[in-house]
Amino acid sequence: MAVVERLGGLPAEAEAVTEQIQREYLLWVTERLTADLGVVFDDPDAARAVHERVFTRELPRLLGPRGRLLVARVDGEVVGIGALQPVGPGTAEIKRMYVRPQARGLGIGRVILDRLLADARTIGYRVVRLETAPFMAEAHALYRSMGFQDRPVWDHTETGLSGLASLMIFMELRLDQDARV
């Protein structure tokens, strides 16, 4: 059984808990972008480092009162992660949703997303958005089952840092019009 917990405390403490799964996530994404979409990185390590720095820089906001950083553990091991990042007074972004391959199929992603959306409502967000890669088909099904709909790209996307925004899928859920499928 998975236990989902909200991380708090100092950014360095949260980084220590999430560092390994974040690196695994970024490695998986860059490998899949290359294998599935033919993306060629001049320096894949440097590309991943950019996104690691973005995550580290955002930790204070993710750990603050308007953000969330959740991890799922099975037998004490971190097997999933998800974050809610404030981006405006009424808008938050789901970030870094990832479940390790050995823990997929156990409903962990749904539990993390349910908790993030419940927290978003409690905080008072009206809109939650996310960006996802085309190869994340299981995630797309989960997001759509929760009521997310495709939307155009927004300014200042994280994948824009790597020049990959044109390859991504952008979705949003209006919490004031939440209608699950």
Side-chain angles (χ1 to χ4, degrees), residues 56 77 126 131 138:
T56 300
E77 177 188 354
R126 293 183 310 278
E131 57 184 294
E138 295 86 0

Side-chain angles (χ1 to χ4, degrees), residues 10-89:
L10 298 173
E13 294 166 348
E15 186 175 9
V17 171
T18 62
E19 182 176 29
Q20 184 59 40
I21 196 167
Q22 283 297 312
R23 285 201 175 132
E24 182 181 314
Y25 166 75
L26 292 170
L27 180 62
W28 175 71
V29 168
T30 55
E31 287 175 348
R32 291 291 306 265
L33 286 169
T34 299
D36 295 9
L37 301 177
V39 173
V40 177
F41 294 94
D42 292 332
D43 184 346
D45 292 333
R48 286 188 291 273
V50 166
H51 294 279
E52 284 180 33
R53 283 192 300 277
V54 167
F55 181 76
T56 300
R57 187 178 61 234
E58 291 300 323
L59 277 172
R61 291 178 40 178
L62 299 177
L63 299 171
R66 295 186 54 77
R68 295 293 184 270
L69 179 56
L70 306 179
V71 293
R73 295 179 193 263
V74 172
D75 298 327
E77 177 188 354
V78 175
V79 297
I81 189 167
L84 186 68
Q85 176 181 314
V87 293

